[in-house]
Amino acid sequence: MQGFWGLLQLWAIFFYVGLFAIGGGLVAASFMQQILVEKMGIISLEKFYSMLAISESTPGPIGINIATFCGTELYGPIGGIITTLGEITPSLIIIILVARFFSNFQKKRGVQAAFEGIRPATSGMVMVAMVNVLLIALFNIPAFMASNSVPDLFRWKSLIFYGLSLVVLFCVKKLHPVFIVFFGAIFGIIFL
């Protein structure tokens, strides 16, 4: 992807993600992975999950953070602005339309049924995104496939840190989860 057309294509990708990613950042991340990594090959899977980890660790919505990070990585600051606008434009349009017309339609059976159907689908998409992140973070499947050695399957440092984080999260009641995210970022910088 080069020049103006590449930037326009990137805007369209993030507009699409912003339009159909009902359920939050992890659903948006799942869409982004499918499009940017699997279909178009714009970025590698490792790079994508690094972007996802940083986006989860920084303040703000995950989907917008990833869009900004990806656009900046590919096209510099203007790319970050364009991809962010692509990500948020559908939400702005939908919010304006909902504010204008939703009170007229919210009691209609079809609208209620649509929202009932969206909930389980969104839960499933969040679960898929979570499993994908977990697989990349804790397992080294390419190394295992190359060696067929079970010890090569695991990312041992990450697995140990994950286990310790779970113990701390559930046993130390006064520790806020943001500290675990902070220590996870430091752990990644130092050990990975």
Side-chain angles (χ1 to χ4, degrees), residues 58-104:
T58 54
I62 295 170
I64 294 172
N65 288 350
I66 293 174
T68 306
F69 192 175
C70 185
T72 304
E73 187 77 16
L74 295 172
Y75 286 97
I78 191 71
I81 292 168
I82 296 296
T83 54
T84 302
L85 288 174
E87 178 75 19
I88 66 171
T89 301
S91 297
L92 292 174
I93 293 168
I94 291 169
I95 288 168
I96 290 168
L97 290 174
V98 166
R100 175 71 176 99
F101 299 109
F102 189 67
S103 61
N104 298 337

Short mmCIF file of all heavy atoms in Angstrom, two decimals, residues 58-104:
data_model
loop_
_atom_site.label_atom_id
_atom_site.label_comp_id
_atom_site.label_asym_id
_atom_site.label_seq_id
_atom_site.Cartn_x
_atom_site.Cartn_y
_atom_site.Cartn_z
N THR A 58 -2.42 1.18 27.19
CA THR A 58 -2.50 2.63 27.18
C THR A 58 -3.94 3.08 27.39
O THR A 58 -4.87 2.35 27.06
CB THR A 58 -1.96 3.21 25.86
OG1 THR A 58 -2.65 2.59 24.77
CG2 THR A 58 -0.48 2.97 25.70
N PRO A 59 -4.13 4.28 27.93
CA PRO A 59 -5.50 4.77 28.16
C PRO A 59 -6.26 4.95 26.85
O PRO A 59 -5.68 5.28 25.83
CB PRO A 59 -5.29 6.14 28.83
CG PRO A 59 -3.88 6.14 29.30
CD PRO A 59 -3.11 5.21 28.42
N GLY A 60 -7.54 4.71 26.91
CA GLY A 60 -8.40 4.91 25.75
C GLY A 60 -8.95 3.61 25.22
O GLY A 60 -8.53 2.53 25.61
N PRO A 61 -9.90 3.71 24.30
CA PRO A 61 -10.51 2.52 23.71
C PRO A 61 -9.49 1.72 22.89
O PRO A 61 -8.72 2.29 22.12
CB PRO A 61 -11.60 3.08 22.79
CG PRO A 61 -11.82 4.48 23.25
CD PRO A 61 -10.53 4.94 23.84
N ILE A 62 -9.52 0.42 23.05
CA ILE A 62 -8.54 -0.46 22.41
C ILE A 62 -8.60 -0.34 20.89
O ILE A 62 -7.57 -0.24 20.23
CB ILE A 62 -8.77 -1.93 22.84
CG1 ILE A 62 -8.50 -2.09 24.32
CG2 ILE A 62 -7.87 -2.87 22.04
CD1 ILE A 62 -8.92 -3.44 24.87
N GLY A 63 -9.79 -0.37 20.32
CA GLY A 63 -9.93 -0.30 18.86
C GLY A 63 -9.34 0.97 18.28
O GLY A 63 -8.64 0.95 17.26
N ILE A 64 -9.60 2.09 18.93
CA ILE A 64 -9.07 3.37 18.45
C ILE A 64 -7.56 3.41 18.63
O ILE A 64 -6.83 3.89 17.76
CB ILE A 64 -9.77 4.55 19.16
CG1 ILE A 64 -11.25 4.57 18.76
CG2 ILE A 64 -9.09 5.87 18.83
CD1 ILE A 64 -12.09 5.55 19.53
N ASN A 65 -7.08 2.89 19.76
CA ASN A 65 -5.63 2.86 19.99
C ASN A 65 -4.92 2.03 18.92
O ASN A 65 -3.87 2.44 18.41
CB ASN A 65 -5.31 2.31 21.37
CG ASN A 65 -5.66 3.26 22.49
OD1 ASN A 65 -5.97 4.41 22.26
ND2 ASN A 65 -5.62 2.76 23.71
N ILE A 66 -5.48 0.88 18.58
CA ILE A 66 -4.85 0.03 17.55
C ILE A 66 -4.89 0.74 16.19
O ILE A 66 -3.91 0.72 15.45
CB ILE A 66 -5.54 -1.34 17.45
CG1 ILE A 66 -5.32 -2.15 18.71
CG2 ILE A 66 -5.01 -2.12 16.25
CD1 ILE A 66 -6.09 -3.46 18.73
N ALA A 67 -6.02 1.35 15.88
CA ALA A 67 -6.14 2.06 14.60
C ALA A 67 -5.08 3.16 14.51
O ALA A 67 -4.39 3.28 13.49
CB ALA A 67 -7.55 2.66 14.45
N THR A 68 -4.95 3.93 15.56
CA THR A 68 -3.97 5.02 15.57
C THR A 68 -2.55 4.46 15.45
O THR A 68 -1.74 4.97 14.67
CB THR A 68 -4.10 5.85 16.86
OG1 THR A 68 -5.46 6.29 16.98
CG2 THR A 68 -3.18 7.05 16.85
N PHE A 69 -2.27 3.43 16.22
CA PHE A 69 -0.94 2.82 16.21
C PHE A 69 -0.61 2.27 14.82
O PHE A 69 0.47 2.50 14.27
CB PHE A 69 -0.88 1.73 17.27
CG PHE A 69 0.48 1.20 17.59
CD1 PHE A 69 0.63 0.29 18.62
CD2 PHE A 69 1.61 1.58 16.91
CE1 PHE A 69 1.88 -0.22 18.95
CE2 PHE A 69 2.87 1.08 17.21
CZ PHE A 69 3.00 0.18 18.23
N CYS A 70 -1.56 1.55 14.24
CA CYS A 70 -1.33 0.94 12.92
C CYS A 70 -1.12 2.01 11.85
O CYS A 70 -0.20 1.93 11.04
CB CYS A 70 -2.51 0.05 12.56
SG CYS A 70 -2.28 -0.87 11.04
N GLY A 71 -1.97 3.03 11.84
CA GLY A 71 -1.83 4.10 10.86
C GLY A 71 -0.51 4.84 11.00
O GLY A 71 0.15 5.16 10.01
N THR A 72 -0.12 5.11 12.24
CA THR A 72 1.16 5.79 12.49
C THR A 72 2.33 4.93 12.07
O THR A 72 3.29 5.41 11.49
CB THR A 72 1.27 6.17 13.98
OG1 THR A 72 0.14 6.97 14.35
CG2 THR A 72 2.54 6.94 14.27
N GLU A 73 2.23 3.65 12.33
CA GLU A 73 3.31 2.71 11.97
C GLU A 73 3.50 2.64 10.47
O GLU A 73 4.61 2.58 9.96
CB GLU A 73 2.97 1.32 12.52
CG GLU A 73 4.04 0.30 12.38
CD GLU A 73 5.15 0.45 13.40
OE1 GLU A 73 4.98 1.14 14.41
OE2 GLU A 73 6.21 -0.14 13.16
N LEU A 74 2.38 2.68 9.71
CA LEU A 74 2.47 2.53 8.26
C LEU A 74 2.68 3.85 7.52
O LEU A 74 3.35 3.88 6.49
CB LEU A 74 1.20 1.85 7.74
CG LEU A 74 0.99 0.40 8.20
CD1 LEU A 74 -0.38 -0.09 7.77
CD2 LEU A 74 2.07 -0.50 7.66
N TYR A 75 2.10 4.96 8.03
CA TYR A 75 2.13 6.22 7.29
C TYR A 75 2.56 7.43 8.12
O TYR A 75 2.42 8.56 7.66
CB TYR A 75 0.76 6.51 6.69
CG TYR A 75 0.43 5.65 5.51
CD1 TYR A 75 -0.34 4.51 5.66
CD2 TYR A 75 0.90 5.97 4.24
CE1 TYR A 75 -0.64 3.71 4.58
CE2 TYR A 75 0.59 5.18 3.15
CZ TYR A 75 -0.17 4.05 3.33
OH TYR A 75 -0.46 3.26 2.26
N GLY A 76 3.00 7.21 9.33
CA GLY A 76 3.39 8.33 10.17
C GLY A 76 2.18 9.01 10.80
O GLY A 76 1.08 8.45 10.81
N PRO A 77 2.35 10.22 11.31
CA PRO A 77 1.26 10.90 12.02
C PRO A 77 -0.01 11.09 11.19
O PRO A 77 -1.11 10.91 11.70
CB PRO A 77 1.86 12.27 12.39
CG PRO A 77 3.33 12.03 12.43
CD PRO A 77 3.60 10.98 11.38
N ILE A 78 0.12 11.40 9.90
CA ILE A 78 -1.08 11.56 9.07
C ILE A 78 -1.83 10.24 8.94
O ILE A 78 -3.07 10.21 8.94
CB ILE A 78 -0.75 12.17 7.68
CG1 ILE A 78 -2.03 12.59 6.95
CG2 ILE A 78 0.03 11.21 6.82
CD1 ILE A 78 -2.68 13.79 7.53
N GLY A 79 -1.11 9.13 8.88
CA GLY A 79 -1.75 7.82 8.85
C GLY A 79 -2.50 7.53 10.13
O GLY A 79 -3.60 6.97 10.11
N GLY A 80 -1.92 7.92 11.26
CA GLY A 80 -2.59 7.74 12.55
C GLY A 80 -3.89 8.53 12.62
O GLY A 80 -4.91 8.04 13.11
N ILE A 81 -3.87 9.74 12.10
CA ILE A 81 -5.07 10.58 12.11
C ILE A 81 -6.13 9.99 11.19
O ILE A 81 -7.31 9.87 11.56
CB ILE A 81 -4.73 12.03 11.68
CG1 ILE A 81 -3.86 12.70 12.76
CG2 ILE A 81 -5.99 12.84 11.41
CD1 ILE A 81 -3.22 14.00 12.33
N ILE A 82 -5.74 9.57 10.00
CA ILE A 82 -6.70 9.02 9.02
C ILE A 82 -7.33 7.73 9.53
O ILE A 82 -8.55 7.55 9.43
CB ILE A 82 -6.01 8.79 7.65
CG1 ILE A 82 -5.53 10.10 7.04
CG2 ILE A 82 -6.89 8.01 6.70
CD1 ILE A 82 -6.63 11.09 6.71
N THR A 83 -6.53 6.81 10.08
CA THR A 83 -7.08 5.55 10.57
C THR A 83 -7.97 5.77 11.78
O THR A 83 -9.00 5.10 11.94
CB THR A 83 -5.97 4.54 10.89
OG1 THR A 83 -5.04 5.13 11.80
CG2 THR A 83 -5.26 4.07 9.64
N THR A 84 -7.60 6.72 12.63
CA THR A 84 -8.45 7.03 13.79
C THR A 84 -9.79 7.58 13.33
O THR A 84 -10.84 7.18 13.84
CB THR A 84 -7.74 8.03 14.72
OG1 THR A 84 -6.50 7.46 15.14
CG2 THR A 84 -8.59 8.34 15.94
N LEU A 85 -9.76 8.49 12.35
CA LEU A 85 -11.02 9.02 11.80
C LEU A 85 -11.85 7.92 11.16
O LEU A 85 -13.07 7.89 11.31
CB LEU A 85 -10.74 10.13 10.79
CG LEU A 85 -10.23 11.45 11.37
CD1 LEU A 85 -9.85 12.42 10.26
CD2 LEU A 85 -11.27 12.06 12.29
N GLY A 86 -11.18 7.01 10.46
CA GLY A 86 -11.90 5.88 9.87
C GLY A 86 -12.57 5.02 10.92
O GLY A 86 -13.71 4.57 10.74
N GLU A 87 -11.90 4.81 12.04
CA GLU A 87 -12.44 3.98 13.12
C GLU A 87 -13.62 4.64 13.83
O GLU A 87 -14.58 3.97 14.19
CB GLU A 87 -11.32 3.67 14.12
CG GLU A 87 -11.75 2.85 15.30
CD GLU A 87 -11.96 1.39 15.01
OE1 GLU A 87 -11.47 0.89 14.00
OE2 GLU A 87 -12.63 0.73 15.83
N ILE A 88 -13.57 5.96 14.05
CA ILE A 88 -14.61 6.61 14.86
C ILE A 88 -15.79 7.16 14.04
O ILE A 88 -16.86 7.37 14.60
CB ILE A 88 -14.02 7.74 15.74
CG1 ILE A 88 -13.49 8.89 14.91
CG2 ILE A 88 -12.97 7.18 16.69
CD1 ILE A 88 -13.09 10.11 15.71
N THR A 89 -15.61 7.38 12.75
CA THR A 89 -16.68 7.96 11.94
C THR A 89 -17.99 7.15 11.98
O THR A 89 -19.06 7.74 12.18
CB THR A 89 -16.21 8.17 10.48
OG1 THR A 89 -15.07 9.04 10.50
CG2 THR A 89 -17.30 8.78 9.63
N PRO A 90 -17.95 5.82 11.83
CA PRO A 90 -19.23 5.09 11.90
C PRO A 90 -19.94 5.26 13.24
O PRO A 90 -21.16 5.40 13.29
CB PRO A 90 -18.82 3.63 11.69
CG PRO A 90 -17.50 3.69 11.02
CD PRO A 90 -16.84 4.93 11.50
N SER A 91 -19.17 5.27 14.33
CA SER A 91 -19.79 5.44 15.65
C SER A 91 -20.46 6.80 15.77
O SER A 91 -21.56 6.91 16.31
CB SER A 91 -18.73 5.31 16.76
OG SER A 91 -18.19 4.02 16.74
N LEU A 92 -19.80 7.83 15.26
CA LEU A 92 -20.41 9.15 15.31
C LEU A 92 -21.71 9.20 14.51
O LEU A 92 -22.71 9.75 14.98
CB LEU A 92 -19.42 10.20 14.76
CG LEU A 92 -18.18 10.46 15.61
CD1 LEU A 92 -17.23 11.40 14.89
CD2 LEU A 92 -18.56 11.00 16.96
N ILE A 93 -21.70 8.61 13.33
CA ILE A 93 -22.91 8.59 12.50
C ILE A 93 -24.02 7.82 13.20
O ILE A 93 -25.17 8.28 13.28
CB ILE A 93 -22.60 7.98 11.11
CG1 ILE A 93 -21.67 8.90 10.32
CG2 ILE A 93 -23.89 7.72 10.34
CD1 ILE A 93 -21.08 8.27 9.07
N ILE A 94 -23.68 6.66 13.74
CA ILE A 94 -24.70 5.82 14.42
C ILE A 94 -25.24 6.53 15.65
O ILE A 94 -26.45 6.51 15.91
CB ILE A 94 -24.11 4.44 14.75
CG1 ILE A 94 -23.89 3.67 13.44
CG2 ILE A 94 -25.01 3.68 15.69
CD1 ILE A 94 -23.09 2.40 13.58
N ILE A 95 -24.38 7.16 16.43
CA ILE A 95 -24.83 7.87 17.64
C ILE A 95 -25.80 8.99 17.27
O ILE A 95 -26.83 9.18 17.93
CB ILE A 95 -23.63 8.41 18.44
CG1 ILE A 95 -22.91 7.25 19.11
CG2 ILE A 95 -24.06 9.44 19.47
CD1 ILE A 95 -21.55 7.61 19.68
N ILE A 96 -25.49 9.72 16.22
CA ILE A 96 -26.38 10.79 15.78
C ILE A 96 -27.73 10.23 15.33
O ILE A 96 -28.79 10.74 15.70
CB ILE A 96 -25.72 11.62 14.65
CG1 ILE A 96 -24.55 12.43 15.22
CG2 ILE A 96 -26.74 12.53 13.96
CD1 ILE A 96 -23.65 13.04 14.18
N LEU A 97 -27.71 9.14 14.57
CA LEU A 97 -28.96 8.53 14.11
C LEU A 97 -29.77 7.94 15.28
O LEU A 97 -30.99 8.10 15.34
CB LEU A 97 -28.67 7.43 13.08
CG LEU A 97 -28.15 7.93 11.73
CD1 LEU A 97 -27.76 6.75 10.84
CD2 LEU A 97 -29.20 8.80 11.04
N VAL A 98 -29.07 7.28 16.20
CA VAL A 98 -29.77 6.70 17.35
C VAL A 98 -30.40 7.81 18.20
O VAL A 98 -31.55 7.70 18.63
CB VAL A 98 -28.81 5.83 18.19
CG1 VAL A 98 -29.39 5.51 19.55
CG2 VAL A 98 -28.49 4.54 17.45
N ALA A 99 -29.65 8.87 18.43
CA ALA A 99 -30.18 9.98 19.23
C ALA A 99 -31.43 10.58 18.58
O ALA A 99 -32.35 10.99 19.26
CB ALA A 99 -29.11 11.05 19.41
N ARG A 100 -31.43 10.56 17.27
CA ARG A 100 -32.55 11.17 16.55
C ARG A 100 -33.77 10.25 16.45
O ARG A 100 -34.90 10.67 16.62
CB ARG A 100 -32.08 11.56 15.14
CG ARG A 100 -33.14 12.08 14.23
CD ARG A 100 -33.59 13.49 14.65
NE ARG A 100 -34.55 14.02 13.72
CZ ARG A 100 -35.87 14.01 13.91
NH1 ARG A 100 -36.38 13.50 14.98
NH2 ARG A 100 -36.68 14.51 13.00
N PHE A 101 -33.54 8.97 16.20
CA PHE A 101 -34.66 8.08 15.86
C PHE A 101 -34.94 6.94 16.83
O PHE A 101 -35.97 6.30 16.74
CB PHE A 101 -34.43 7.46 14.47
CG PHE A 101 -34.35 8.47 13.37
CD1 PHE A 101 -33.15 8.73 12.75
CD2 PHE A 101 -35.48 9.17 12.98
CE1 PHE A 101 -33.07 9.67 11.73
CE2 PHE A 101 -35.42 10.11 11.95
CZ PHE A 101 -34.20 10.37 11.34
N PHE A 102 -34.04 6.64 17.76
CA PHE A 102 -34.18 5.42 18.55
C PHE A 102 -35.42 5.43 19.44
O PHE A 102 -36.06 4.40 19.63
CB PHE A 102 -32.94 5.15 19.40
CG PHE A 102 -32.95 3.81 20.06
CD1 PHE A 102 -32.87 2.65 19.31
CD2 PHE A 102 -33.07 3.69 21.44
CE1 PHE A 102 -32.88 1.41 19.90
CE2 PHE A 102 -33.09 2.45 22.04
CZ PHE A 102 -32.99 1.31 21.27
N SER A 103 -35.76 6.57 20.00
CA SER A 103 -36.92 6.60 20.90
C SER A 103 -38.19 6.17 20.16
O SER A 103 -39.10 5.60 20.77
CB SER A 103 -37.10 7.99 21.50
OG SER A 103 -37.32 8.94 20.48
N ASN A 104 -38.24 6.37 18.85
CA ASN A 104 -39.41 5.94 18.06
C ASN A 104 -39.44 4.43 17.84
O ASN A 104 -40.49 3.86 17.61
CB ASN A 104 -39.42 6.63 16.70
CG ASN A 104 -39.53 8.13 16.81
OD1 ASN A 104 -40.02 8.65 17.81
ND2 ASN A 104 -39.07 8.84 15.81
#
